[in-house]
Amino acid sequence: MTNPSSFSVILVEPQLGENIGMVARAMWNCGVRDLRLVNPRDGWPSKTARAACSGAGVVVEATRLYNSTSDAIADLNFVLATTARTRDMTKPVFTPETAAKEMRGRAQSGASIGVLFGKESSGLDNDDVALADGAITVPLNPEFTSLNLAQAVLLLSYEWFKFEDQTIPYELQMPDDTRPANKQELLWLYHHLEQELDNTGFLMVTEKRPIMIRKIRNMLARAQMTEQEVRIYRGMISSLVRKRRPSDAFPGASED
Amino acid sequence: MTNPSSFSVILVEPQLGENIGMVARAMWNCGVRDLRLVNPRDGWPSKTARAACSGAGVVVEATRLYNSTSDAIADLNFVLATTARTRDMTKPVFTPETAAKEMRGRAQSGASIGVLFGKESSGLDNDDVALADGAITVPLNPEFTSLNLAQAVLLLSYEWFKFEDQTIPYELQMPDDTRPANKQELLWLYHHLEQELDNTGFLMVTEKRPIMIRKIRNMLARAQMTEQEVRIYRGMISSLVRKRRPSDAFPGASED
């Protein structure tokens, strides 16, 4: 099965049904759905796994069972093995990010991809690692590298997902009923505020006035106000001033 | 506390001690150690949390308790709030990756950073989000966005960790007792193999010989052999040939 939008997760001798369920959940969070099990200790299907998948039933229902790692990867073209750092085999070693990039490239060229994860207690054995085209090691705090199975699957699946994710990496979220303020609206706000500050004497030290105004404008500019917020801000200024000088209106100010 | 190598994780009204423990574990995996709790439902300290942290006691022991979100963030300079996608506030919205980048930049300029995570059932309320300088939304499979608390903390902490991680993103792992083969060693191998293939008649079709040799050399080059592996390979060739022609040795071949 060639599917450039997914890869296969192969759990070799997983011990806890709960972890299998949490793996399914982490996979499906990232749109990965082909789960394969090699000799799960507590058998399959598993009620515990079903309960722990928190709604990722689409993965659990389709999970396939195998008697050996070789059988589980027989139809795949490119397989990586997750391991703790070792130096006793000659193999390319990837981080989750570079692995995901490599996997995406190969998947786009038509390869079927799989990643092997070992049992919770001891990981993959060397014979399983030797079947793989490369290794993945998750770089972690050297003082504490104990990562649970579902979290290892999550980190790799998330890196994979990021490569096709269309989410804008950064955006200014904007409610539907407004828009970013334009510079004219901001200038009206600045003039409004500065005139009122002149009136109160806040800007009365002549030689400091330009510096103070720049500071205030910089501060207001950084807020990246919406048109609505500019009206609210001007309303606040008018309101504050009204206490002092109740009859005064100011050009461009909304008084509602 | 300004610590450019860490940030504070603030859990607002977390419900399950087990999740607090798993959060501590995910944090410490990534070298993040300042955990703050605002009104945890089941109280604090928590034996369940202690059991679930799997060795990240350094985080659990130092966890601090607060009565309100405002108290918990009072000493911080830059705070982000994790939320599901909403469009009812004007706020910068980051992905975990861009958030981590922003946080690193600000931490390096001396700011203390914190990230708010809401309760498992319903996330942060709007008043808590309003206290933050920006929001973080984790892009996920739109069909299945239910991410557990510890996994949300892990994804952000891992992105943070990656920015200072010194791990080589890709490397060819090399045992200590060998080194990459040099080109001379590879050429000797090619010549050895090609001469033996000439002897067996494998390369006898003259017009196809150069193409076949290029294919074989490409295939061998891709393996990026070590010096040790080249010797093993030549030993295999010699061994295969010996059956046919037992007395023959070949220049440069190791016979041991």
Side-chain angles (χ1 to χ4, degrees):
Chain A
M1 171 206 62
T2 296
N3 179 356
S5 74
S6 191
F7 68 93
S8 303
V9 170
I10 303 118
L11 305 183
V12 180
E13 297 178 13
Q15 297 165 296
L16 295 171
E18 187 184 0
N19 285 335
I20 301 172
M22 289 172 68
V23 163
R25 180 182 182 177
M27 289 169 60
W28 192 225
N29 276 149
C30 303
V32 176
R33 57 195 297 176
D34 185 40
L35 178 58
R36 306 175 178 200
L37 307 177
V38 179
N39 299 326
R41 187 191 65 187
D42 297 341
W44 192 260
S46 154
K47 279 186 189 163
T48 333
R50 197 72 180 75
C53 81
S54 301
V58 62
V59 174
V60 171
E61 300 306 330
T63 297
R64 281 171 288 178
L65 199 59
Y66 296 85
N67 286 319
S68 71
T69 305
S70 320
D71 285 350
I73 64 172
D75 62 326
L76 304 177
N77 306 112
F78 184 72
V79 173
L80 296 176
T82 51
T83 65
R85 195 130 211 62
T86 57
R87 302 206 64 92
D88 54 351
M89 293 201 202
T90 305
K91 265 208 195 298
V93 179
F94 299 88
T95 66
E97 184 176 356
T98 55
K101 190 174 177 187
E102 179 80 18
M103 288 158 60
R104 281 280 180 195
R106 289 178 183 263
Q108 246 125 49
S109 312
S112 293
I113 314 291
V115 180
L116 298 166
F117 294 84
K119 69 176 74 169
E120 294 90 327
S121 58
S122 55
L124 291 168
D125 68 31
N126 285 343
D127 289 338
D128 287 333
V129 176
L131 289 172
D133 298 289
I136 304 174
T137 298
V138 183
L140 290 171
N141 175 7
E143 293 182 46
F144 187 63
T145 58
S146 142
L147 192 68
N148 88 17
L149 184 55
Q151 293 189 318
V153 171
L154 176 69
L155 289 180
L156 182 69
S157 302
Y158 186 70
E159 294 287 5
W160 165 273
F161 178 78
K162 277 166 63 182
F163 276 100
E164 78 171 4
D165 175 42
Q166 300 297 313
T167 306
I168 302 160
Y170 170 89
E171 66 175 315
L172 186 67
Q173 188 172 275
M174 185 65 61
D176 289 336
D177 56 351
T178 186
R179 56 168 176 77
N182 63 37
K183 294 304 174 196
Q184 181 58 69
E185 289 157 349
L186 285 172
L187 283 168
W188 277 333
L189 167 63
Y190 298 162
H191 293 149
H192 184 171
L193 178 61
E194 286 152 19
Q195 183 156 340
E196 294 297 357
L197 292 175
D198 274 330
N199 290 342
T200 61
F202 184 86
L203 298 173
M204 65 184 290
V205 184
T206 316
E207 65 274 24
K208 290 192 181 166
R209 191 175 181 281
I211 296 166
M212 186 58 76
I213 283 180
R214 276 200 299 277
K215 281 180 196 280
I216 294 168
R217 289 186 175 194
N218 273 331
M219 186 176 63
L220 293 175
R222 273 204 314 278
Q224 299 184 56
M225 289 183 210
T226 64
E227 178 275 332
Q228 191 180 57
E229 287 166 339
V230 169
R231 277 190 285 122
I232 292 169
Y233 210 103
R234 298 193 62 183
M236 292 192 305
I237 297 167
S238 299
S239 167
L240 292 169
V241 163
R242 202 171 292 130
K243 276 217 158 145
R244 180 172 52 80
R245 205 180 48 189
S247 65
D248 218 312
F250 196 90
S254 144
E255 290 289 328
D256 53 3
Chain B
M1 170 208 62
T2 295
N3 179 354
S5 75
S6 191
F7 68 93
S8 303
V9 170
I10 303 117
L11 305 184
V12 181
E13 298 178 13
Q15 297 166 295
L16 295 171
E18 187 185 1
N19 285 335
I20 301 172
M22 288 171 69
V23 163
R25 179 180 182 178
M27 289 168 61
W28 193 226
N29 276 149
C30 304
V32 176
R33 56 194 295 173
D34 186 40
L35 178 59
R36 305 174 178 201
L37 306 177
V38 179
N39 298 327
R41 188 190 66 188
D42 297 339
W44 191 259
S46 155
K47 278 186 191 164
T48 334
R50 197 71 178 75
C53 81
S54 302
V58 62
V59 174
V60 171
E61 299 307 329
T63 297
R64 281 172 287 179
L65 199 59
Y66 296 85
N67 287 317
S68 69
T69 306
S70 320
D71 285 351
I73 65 171
D75 62 325
L76 304 178
N77 306 112
F78 184 72
V79 173
L80 297 176
T82 50
T83 65
R85 196 131 211 63
T86 57
R87 303 206 63 91
D88 54 350
M89 294 203 200
T90 305
K91 255 195 205 309
V93 179
F94 299 87
T95 66
E97 184 175 357
T98 56
K101 191 175 177 186
E102 179 80 18
M103 289 158 61
R104 281 278 178 195
R106 289 176 183 262
Q108 246 124 49
S109 312
S112 294
I113 314 290
V115 180
L116 298 167
F117 294 83
K119 69 176 75 170
E120 295 89 327
S121 58
S122 55
L124 291 167
D125 68 31
N126 285 343
D127 289 338
D128 288 333
V129 177
L131 289 172
D133 299 288
I136 304 173
T137 298
V138 183
L140 290 172
N141 174 8
E143 293 182 47
F144 188 63
T145 58
S146 143
L147 192 68
N148 88 17
L149 183 55
Q151 292 190 318
V153 171
L154 176 68
L155 288 180
L156 183 69
S157 303
Y158 187 69
E159 293 287 6
W160 165 274
F161 179 79
K162 276 166 62 181
F163 276 100
E164 77 171 7
D165 175 43
Q166 301 297 313
T167 306
I168 302 160
Y170 170 89
E171 66 175 315
L172 185 68
Q173 188 173 275
M174 184 67 60
D176 290 336
D177 56 352
T178 187
R179 54 166 177 78
N182 63 38
K183 295 303 177 197
Q184 181 59 67
E185 289 157 349
L186 285 172
L187 284 168
W188 277 333
L189 167 62
Y190 299 162
H191 293 149
H192 184 169
L193 178 61
E194 286 151 20
Q195 181 156 342
E196 293 297 356
L197 292 175
D198 274 329
N199 290 343
T200 62
F202 185 84
L203 298 173
M204 66 183 288
V205 183
T206 316
E207 65 274 25
K208 288 192 179 164
R209 191 175 181 281
I211 297 168
M212 186 58 75
I213 283 180
R214 276 200 300 276
K215 281 180 197 280
I216 293 169
R217 289 186 176 195
N218 273 330
M219 186 174 66
L220 292 175
R222 272 204 315 278
Q224 298 183 55
M225 289 183 210
T226 63
E227 178 274 332
Q228 191 178 57
E229 287 166 340
V230 169
R231 276 190 286 123
I232 293 169
Y233 210 102
R234 298 194 61 183
M236 293 193 302
I237 297 168
S238 299
S239 168
L240 292 169
V241 163
R242 204 170 291 131
K243 276 219 160 144
R244 181 172 52 79
R245 205 178 49 189
S247 63
D248 218 311
F250 197 90
S254 145
E255 290 288 329
D256 53 4

